[in-house]
Amino acid sequence: MKREMVERPYKEVVDVLKRCGLRPTRQRMALAKLLRDAGDCHLTAEELHARAADAGHRISLATIYNALHQFTEAGLVREIVVDSGCSYFDTNVSDHHHFFFEDRRELKDIDHGDVVISAVPEPPEGATVERVDVVIRVRSS
Amino acid sequence: MKREMVERPYKEVVDVLKRCGLRPTRQRMALAKLLRDAGDCHLTAEELHARAADAGHRISLATIYNALHQFTEAGLVREIVVDSGCSYFDTNVSDHHHFFFEDRRELKDIDHGDVVISAVPEPPEGATVERVDVVIRVRSS
DNA sequence: TCAATAGTTTAGAATAATTCTAAACCACTT
DNA sequence: AAGTGGTTTAGAATTATTCTAAACTATTGA
Ligand SMILES: [Mn+2]
Ligand SMILES: [Mn+2]
Ligand SMILES: [Zn+2]
Ligand SMILES: [Zn+2]
């Protein structure tokens, strides 16, 4: 019973990982749980690494990168490129756009529906639209 | 007269540079001219470096980066971040958006007006909108 | 015309994010 | 319990970019 209270929260992430065809290893379970419990946010690999460390998990950066890419592939997180120099991983995988605070280098979600794109051009022949990213770059002033 | 035919094209870029408060050095003139003559396109620092070399200019990469940042500051080019790992510099500084071909890692302009954003949210208090970037990510398939 | 000055260029080292390597490790099957 | 094949890891490698400090040059005004 003591054991169960601690272990239960893992059940879900284990299932998610299995559904994605990823072995539920110690590291992937820890990371998947951290990401799920983090709520909607935008993390760099380094930040996730730090959070894992804070939670008592000693996971190599290589593994963090591996997991983030696998999770991206599986649709558990979404990679956002706004800053030449580092990638952000978004735990909110629903369709939404972003403010980017250039001075703080931070992303903030824009509620779906607050940006309306009323005309999107056809992609060129043989190309298929993967995603439409809208980033509103702002500076404090 | 022989001389003039070769030199005249530089007159404009010299003026542009002066207007921007940048000394018209040999390197900056060469780069400004290359960029102006390139037509609308999206270049990486390396690509511009290669074009300079092709045109017979031996300019260090550090200078390419310096110039591109100064030109960006001055509004002569626009920096676009779509690809974690490298920046693109757009010689088309008019208001427009982009397709990004993820496999080729190439940008393509979308005519102004082909993307209509009919609702843009207010930025948070104290933040001022710098720019709205729309990137339509496509893959060939 | 010629310094003096301040801005510019440069090679090469340094940095930072990310990827690679190859050996140790461990999840899952049998 | 052993075999297997995927996984993790430390550390080296890679890549784009920035930094450093010395050499260079555009500009100015004597
Ligand atoms: Mn970062
Ligand atoms: Mn590149
Ligand atoms: Zn988001
Ligand atoms: Zn463009």
Side-chain angles (χ1 to χ4, degrees):
Chain A
M1 193 193 272
K2 200 174 2 153
R3 171 70 47 81
E4 292 222 26
M5 296 181 70
V6 176
E7 304 263 301
R8 177 138 16 94
Y10 276 100
K11 177 77 167 59
E12 282 171 47
V13 303
V14 169
D15 290 344
V16 170
L17 290 173
K18 280 183 178 159
R19 224 175 295 125
C20 299
L22 296 169
R23 277 194 191 172
T25 62
R26 193 157 65 273
Q27 295 81 342
R28 290 209 271 236
M29 288 189 290
L31 295 176
K33 185 167 179 307
L34 277 174
L35 290 171
R36 190 202 53 185
D37 295 349
D40 292 352
C41 65
H42 311 93
L43 298 170
T44 64
E46 285 288 358
E47 283 161 1
L48 180 58
H49 189 237
R51 290 197 183 196
D54 285 352
H57 305 287
R58 198 161 47 275
I59 303 177
S60 81
L61 251 187
T63 297
I64 302 277
Y65 277 106
N66 287 342
L68 283 172
H69 289 145
Q70 292 153 351
F71 292 178
T72 299
E73 192 72 17
L76 302 179
V77 298
R78 159 178 155 183
E79 186 173 0
I80 301 183
V81 180
V82 275
D83 190 359
S84 166
C86 81
S87 283
Y88 295 83
F89 293 87
D90 196 342
T91 59
N92 176 355
V93 292
S94 75
D95 195 356
H96 68 286
H97 301 295
H98 296 93
F99 282 114
F100 181 59
F101 299 88
E102 306 213 89
D103 28 33
R104 268 184 297 144
R105 305 177 121 212
E106 256 178 51
L107 285 161
K108 181 166 182 292
D109 283 349
I110 296 174
D111 277 354
H112 177 70
D114 277 3
V115 169
V116 177
I117 307 174
S118 45
V120 173
E122 282 301 312
E125 267 301 308
T128 196
V129 173
E130 176 92 343
R131 189 165 104 194
V132 177
D133 285 343
V134 176
V135 176
I136 303 182
R137 289 170 184 274
V138 300
R139 349 192 53 114
S140 50
S141 97
Chain B
M1 194 193 272
K2 202 174 0 153
R3 169 73 44 81
E4 291 220 25
M5 295 180 72
V6 176
E7 305 262 300
R8 177 138 14 96
Y10 276 101
K11 176 75 167 59
E12 281 171 47
V13 302
V14 170
D15 290 344
V16 169
L17 290 174
K18 281 182 178 161
R19 223 176 297 125
C20 298
L22 296 169
R23 279 194 191 174
T25 62
R26 195 158 64 273
Q27 295 82 340
R28 289 208 273 237
M29 288 189 290
L31 295 176
K33 185 166 179 310
L34 277 173
L35 290 170
R36 191 203 51 185
D37 295 349
D40 292 352
C41 66
H42 311 93
L43 298 171
T44 63
E46 285 287 359
E47 282 161 2
L48 180 56
H49 189 237
R51 290 197 183 197
D54 286 353
H57 305 287
R58 198 160 50 276
I59 302 178
S60 81
L61 250 187
T63 297
I64 303 278
Y65 277 105
N66 287 342
L68 283 171
H69 289 143
Q70 292 153 351
F71 292 179
T72 299
E73 191 73 15
L76 301 179
V77 299
R78 158 176 155 184
E79 186 171 359
I80 301 184
V81 180
V82 275
D83 190 359
S84 167
C86 80
S87 284
Y88 295 83
F89 294 87
D90 195 342
T91 59
N92 176 355
V93 292
S94 75
D95 195 356
H96 68 286
H97 300 295
H98 297 93
F99 282 116
F100 181 59
F101 298 88
E102 305 212 89
D103 27 33
R104 270 185 293 143
R105 305 179 120 210
E106 256 178 49
L107 286 161
K108 182 166 181 291
D109 283 349
I110 295 174
D111 276 353
H112 178 70
D114 277 4
V115 169
V116 177
I117 307 174
S118 45
V120 173
E122 282 300 312
E125 266 301 308
T128 197
V129 174
E130 177 91 344
R131 189 165 103 195
V132 178
D133 285 342
V134 177
V135 176
I136 303 182
R137 291 171 182 275
V138 301
R139 348 192 52 114
S140 49
S141 100

